[in-house]
Structures are given as structure tokens and as C-alpha cells.
Amino acid sequence: MNDSPAIALHGLRKRFGQLTAVDGVTLEIGRGEVVALLGPNGAGKSTTIDLALGLSNPDEGDARLFGGTPRQAIVAGRVGAMLQGGALLPTLTVRQSIELVAAAHRHPLPVDEAMERAKVTDIARQRVAKLSGGQMQRARFAVAVVSNPDLLILDEPTAAMDVEARHVFWESMRAFTEEGRTVVFATHYLDEADSFADRIVILNRGRLVADGTPAEVKAVVSGRVVSFALDAAPAGLHDRLATLPGVRDVERRGERISIQTADSDATLRAVLADYPAAHDVEVISRTMDDAFLALTHDAAEPALQEALR
Amino acid sequence: MRIRYLALEVLRQLKNTRNLVFTFALPVVMLLIFGSVYGSGGQVDDSTHLPWLAVTTIQMGGYGAMMSALAQAFTIVNERSLGWNRQLRITPLSGAGYLTTKVAASLAVAAMSIVLTFGVSLIVFHTPLGVGGWLMAGLGLWLGVVPFALIAILIGQFAKPEFAQPLFMVTFFGLAIFGGLWVPLSIMPDWVSNVAQIVPSYWLNRLGQMGALGSGDALAPAVVLMVWTIALGALIVWRYRRDAARA
């Protein structure tokens, strides 16, 4: 029981009428991992989270948390969550909301500590009905952490937050993950997945289409781009570059040349050896957006999926 | 079940001012009107031989208590549509624990309503009934409120938000009128008195009246309300399990 993964999903399937929202998801998340769950709308992220928490029952497959049923983990106070469509009561203050939920748990954190962690101490006495979108999310975060959970599941935690609020939120999150707790968050913001997760899981149409570190997800999909300027381009440059190691594609715009490559190190060494006059050299990873679009675009699927399994 | 959660939840319901107005004010106002118009002569009720004022007070106390319990339906519907129940499902609070807090909240509000109605009756009309009579009548009404708390939970848990309001109104008026909680059944047509025995509110009032008499006839209404409680409880558990499986 002690070594069992925080989350273990096996062959989860869930249908709503004709629609198969989750279509055979198998996923293990170890303790201490910080995992981003990405996918377009309707990819099955929220349904997967509901199944993992035992809030709804799968048609096939099963979900285990810390080796037991989701309910056992929840009763033991090991799970905290911010869910889609899970709101606080508008007539209560932030503090009262946290107190009420804390009272339902067996070994909650002191309310003040939960407020400190979620940075809601300054809005403790405000009524929930009067909170801004970002404040509301922070209050919900406080409610999620008050059970002092080992596993935190957050469904789009920074929706409705402005840039500053998102920054503050991730700062308090980081303090949380540094204590070795497991965090799974669904998000639409790819840069959040890139900067806060050590692992990214991408869902599309109810299936897992990618699973890897942010660097892996980015690199395997699109490689890197080596670009440089060359004042006087010699004849036959394009064809020569195309034969260099790792090169997939060469593009030229004015004096600037961009090479898509699977091995930027080898490509760059060869370029500099052959063309010492190359200057303003840049090596750029393709962005998470590129990777995401490629992975969730159906035509691109099978080969890329294989690469990331 | 955490005691602290139960206490906070009950307190929260007591603070719900919208409920308080209807729950507490209406039965008191009706008592004051009926009491002033008909109660001054010191009449005695034919069938129970209780002072007419006491009969009316218990009737209104029962109405207030029933209202306290039924009003929980709106709270529950509201909480559900907000997603509060989803939040609760990621706490150790069990389905049974949830039901217990809701019943307890109903009982707490009902107790206040009963005490207030009885208190006004004593202070304004000096209604002649012994301490034992008041206590037993109050206790009867209070415990008799449980099946109504369950009706509220049933409406709250399983009616869609837009359907809850009409369903509540029909249930509420049906129970208030046919149970003889607004107007005594004795002045209604015979068929109403016959219908009355179907609705639990009739037995709630009857339990209060028999309690006031200290009569062994309190047994029948107590048993009827117990049967209602068991039947409603079974229905709720059955629906709750199905609901959880489908959700």
C-alpha cells in the first residue's frame, strides 16, 4: 500500500449516450509528480478527473488512489480537489467556507494555515458572492488544501484569473509541490503546463495521445529550429543544408535561413563548420502550442502518438 | 460524522433569514389573528376537550415546524445547483452523514419555530394548558417533523431546479390544507377530513394534540409518522444509490 502510485487508472471507459467521453485511458501517476492534463474542450479531462475521484463510475476499467478505492483515499483525507462546477456557498465568507469544509474532514489543517497557503488571508472576511473570479479560485484552492492532502487534483485552477493572479496562484502551488505532494492539474494554458509540470499528459477525444516531460512533448513532436543569417548565400546552399545530419526541412526568407531539425546539436556543428560566416544564430524549441496542435490534430496522430507512448 | 460540521451546518441554516421570515412569522401571525377573533370566549374543542386556543396553537406550531423542515428543500436544490454537493463529495462526509445534517438542521429550525409559537400563545393569550401538556405537545410536533425533513430532502435531491418550486408549492399547500394545519378540519367538508388521513401533516397535528392531552391515543399518529419516515428513508437511500451510480 505504501508504494502504490498516487493515481492508477486502468482501461477507463465512460459513455454518455452515444458519446464516449473517456475511451480506454490507462495512466499511472507516481507520488510527488506534478502532472499537467492537457486537451481541447471535450477531450475528456473533466470526466477522467471525475472517474479518478470516484464521483462517477466507469463503464469499464477502474481507478485506484494510493492503492485503494478513490472513496477510501478521500475518507482518509489524502485527496484535495478543485472541480469543474464545484462552487462555494455565496452567503458564507471565505473563512466560514474553509471552516465548514475543514469540519467535515478528520485531520484538517488549521484554517489559518490553509488560508496562508492559498493566500486568502486578506479576503478571509469577504462573502463568497462578492469575490472576483481570481479570488474565488484562490478561495477554492484553500478549501482544496484544508484537508492537508497528499494528492491535489485541480481542474482548470487558473480559469478566470488575470496574469497577476495566475502568478500568485502558481507561487502558492509551488510551495505545495516542493513538499513532495502529488499534483494533477488540467489546464488550457499551455505555458502553465510547460513551466509547472514535470510531466504532461495529453488527451484527445477521450484517449491518451501523449505522455512525457514538457521537453519530450515539445521536442519529439517538432524538433528544434536552427536559424542563422548568411549575407551572401552561395549557390546550391539549400540542397547542401538539406543533407546535413538531422535536417528535416529548410526554409529561406531573405538572408535568414531556418532549418527544422531532429538533432539541433549535430546540425548546428555542421552548419558552423561549412559556413563560418553564419551569424545571429538561434536555436529554438518549438513551442508547446505547436506540439499541442500537432498532437490533437487528428491527421497527425498515429505516428506521433507512437513516439510518445 | 463530525459534530463540528453538524453544528456549523445547523447554525448556517438558522442564519438563513429568508427561511426565518416564513417559518417563524407566518404561524405566529395566523395564531394572533385566529386567537383574537375566535379565542377570547374560552371555548373548548368538541372532540378533544382541549381549550380551543391550545388546539389552534398546536395546529400553528405544527404548521411552523412542518414549514421549517420543508423549506430545506430550497436550500438543498440551491446548494446542488451551485456545485456545493460536488465539493462535499470530496470530503469524508458520507451520504448518511449528509442526510443526518439536513434532518438535524430541520429539527433545529423546527424547535425554534415551535417554541416561538407556543411562547406567543402563552404570553398574548395566556392559553390554559399545563407545563406537561405544552412539553408533550411540543415534543410530539418536534419529533413528528422528521418525515417532513425527508420529504424536503427528496424534493431537494431529486427535483431539477426549475421543477423544485412548483413541486414544493403543491406539496406544501397539500400538506398544509389537507392536514388541517391552516383551517381546522372540523369546519371543512367531510371529504376533506377523509382525505386528510392520507397526508402525514394530519398525523403531525394529531400527534401534537394527543401529546397535549397526555393521551395514549398519541400512539397511532406516532406509528403512522414512523412508517412514513421508514418509507421515505428507504426511497431516499434507493434514489441516492442510483443517482451516485449514474452521475
Side-chain angles (χ1 to χ4, degrees):
Chain A
M1 175 104 185
N2 276 342
D3 296 327
S4 34
I7 298 181
L9 311 178
H10 292 292
L12 281 188
R13 218 174 285 274
K14 180 72 179 178
R15 288 181 207 89
F16 296 110
Q18 295 286 337
L19 176 80
T20 303
V22 174
D23 192 5
V25 168
T26 296
L27 178 65
E28 248 183 43
I29 293 173
R31 299 186 184 194
E33 281 194 281
V34 179
V35 179
L37 201 54
L38 287 179
N41 281 330
K45 301 186 298 281
S46 295
T47 309
T48 303
I49 287 176
D50 275 8
L51 291 171
L53 287 168
L55 296 183
S56 87
N57 295 325
D59 297 322
E60 282 170 47
D62 74 328
R64 319 276 297 167
L65 300 183
F66 298 104
T69 65
R71 187 64 202 163
Q72 285 168 342
I74 289 171
V75 169
R78 305 189 73 172
V79 186
M82 271 171 82
L83 299 176
Q84 289 265 293
L88 305 179
L89 298 169
T91 53
L92 296 183
T93 66
V94 171
R95 196 195 169 87
Q96 287 167 341
S97 308
I98 302 167
E99 274 173 348
L100 189 58
V101 172
H105 281 285
R106 293 183 180 173
H107 309 287
L109 287 177
V111 171
D112 286 319
E113 194 185 329
M115 293 203 301
E116 191 69 39
R117 280 177 174 274
K119 304 205 186 328
V120 293
T121 311
D122 54 323
I123 53 168
R125 301 171 73 86
Q126 277 195 46
R127 279 192 194 285
V128 168
K130 300 207 166 150
L131 298 179
S132 71
Q135 289 173 327
M136 179 72 171
Q137 293 295 83
R138 262 150 67 202
R140 293 178 56 203
F141 183 61
V143 164
V145 299
V146 77
S147 64
N148 197 14
D150 300 320
L151 167 65
L152 200 50
I153 295 183
L154 311 167
D155 200 350
E156 298 188 21
T158 56
M161 284 190 186
D162 58 27
V163 177
E164 171 64 19
R166 283 170 67 189
H167 183 77
V168 171
F169 177 82
W170 286 111
E171 217 170 88
S172 46
M173 265 294 297
R174 205 158 245 168
F176 205 77
T177 57
E178 272 163 11
E179 293 164 354
R181 303 182 205 235
T182 313
V183 175
V184 178
F185 64 97
T187 182
H188 272 137
Y189 298 107
L190 303 174
D191 58 320
E192 284 186 345
D194 198 2
S195 26
F196 296 102
D198 14 81
R199 181 175 163 196
I200 291 179
V201 171
I202 300 182
L203 285 176
N204 193 33
R205 300 183 171 209
R207 290 167 196 246
L208 209 135
V209 295
D211 182 355
T213 65
E216 276 168 0
V217 169
K218 278 185 291 185
V220 173
V221 176
S222 316
R224 290 194 173 86
V225 177
V226 173
S227 71
F228 54 91
L230 207 56
D231 294 334
L237 172 74
H238 195 283
D239 293 339
R240 272 220 58 191
L241 288 176
T243 62
L244 292 182
V247 172
R248 286 180 186 152
D249 193 23
V250 179
E251 228 178 277
R252 186 171 160 191
R253 200 167 281 177
E255 60 186 28
R256 187 124 200 118
I257 293 147
S258 301
I259 305 174
Q260 271 199 42
T261 170
D263 185 350
S264 55
D265 293 353
T267 307
L268 184 57
R269 281 195 189 93
V271 166
L272 291 176
D274 291 0
Y275 304 98
H279 60 92
D280 290 320
V281 178
E282 283 181 348
V283 180
I284 309 164
S285 279
R286 299 304 294 270
T287 64
M288 191 55 82
D289 298 67
D290 298 329
F292 181 73
L293 284 175
L295 280 164
T296 54
H297 191 269
D298 292 323
E301 260 183 44
L304 295 171
Q305 283 174 28
E306 274 319 300
L308 276 168
R309 278 295 163 85
Chain B
M1 263 310 291
R2 315 242 68 75
I3 296 300
R4 190 172 154 70
Y5 178 81
L6 185 65
L8 285 173
E9 185 66 11
V10 168
L11 199 65
R12 190 167 74 79
Q13 301 303 345
L14 284 176
K15 278 192 199 159
N16 192 334
T17 45
R18 191 194 58 172
N19 287 359
L20 296 189
V21 171
F22 286 103
T23 310
F24 296 163
L26 223 56
V28 169
V29 169
M30 286 170 78
L31 172 67
L32 290 174
I33 294 170
F34 287 139
S36 316
V37 176
Y38 304 108
S40 50
Q43 295 100 321
V44 168
D45 182 73
D46 287 342
S47 60
T48 58
H49 306 293
L50 283 169
W52 192 85
L53 271 171
V55 170
T56 304
T57 304
I58 292 165
Q59 182 187 318
M60 287 306 149
Y63 165 67
M66 180 184 85
M67 184 72 196
S68 313
L70 289 179
Q72 293 285 322
F74 286 115
T75 318
I76 295 170
V77 167
N78 198 13
E79 289 173 9
R80 251 179 81 217
S81 65
L82 282 169
W84 177 244
N85 285 26
R86 265 169 81 75
Q87 198 74 54
L88 287 181
R89 283 183 66 184
I90 31 180
T91 71
L93 189 69
S94 63
Y98 175 80
L99 293 186
T100 310
T101 55
K102 291 299 175 195
V103 172
S106 294
L107 283 173
V109 183
M112 288 186 69
S113 176
I114 293 167
V115 168
L116 187 73
T117 310
F118 284 12
V120 167
S121 178
L122 270 172
I123 292 164
V124 177
F125 300 117
H126 309 290
T127 304
L129 189 68
V131 175
W134 284 122
L135 275 181
M136 290 311 287
L139 192 66
L141 291 180
W142 190 57
L143 293 177
V145 130
V146 172
F148 299 91
L150 297 181
I151 289 173
I153 292 167
L154 210 53
I155 294 175
Q157 281 288 73
F158 305 116
K160 291 198 162 60
E162 63 273 19
F163 191 52
Q165 178 87 24
L167 185 61
F168 174 84
M169 293 317 267
V170 168
T171 311
F172 169 67
F173 281 119
L175 288 173
I177 293 168
F178 290 112
L181 295 184
W182 272 346
V183 183
L185 289 171
S186 50
I187 64 167
M188 293 233 219
D190 281 349
W191 69 268
V192 177
S193 306
N194 294 335
V195 170
Q197 309 217 355
I198 301 172
V199 294
S201 44
Y202 168 83
W203 299 101
L204 176 67
N205 187 25
R206 179 113 184 125
L207 185 62
Q209 307 289 353
M210 294 303 115
L213 268 183
S215 153
D217 288 344
L219 192 63
V223 168
V224 172
L225 289 174
M226 194 105 72
V227 171
W228 270 97
T229 301
I230 292 167
L232 288 164
L235 192 60
I236 288 172
V237 169
W238 177 71
R239 282 297 308 251
Y240 181 82
R241 288 198 181 135
R242 252 179 49 137
D243 199 48
R246 191 157 24 94

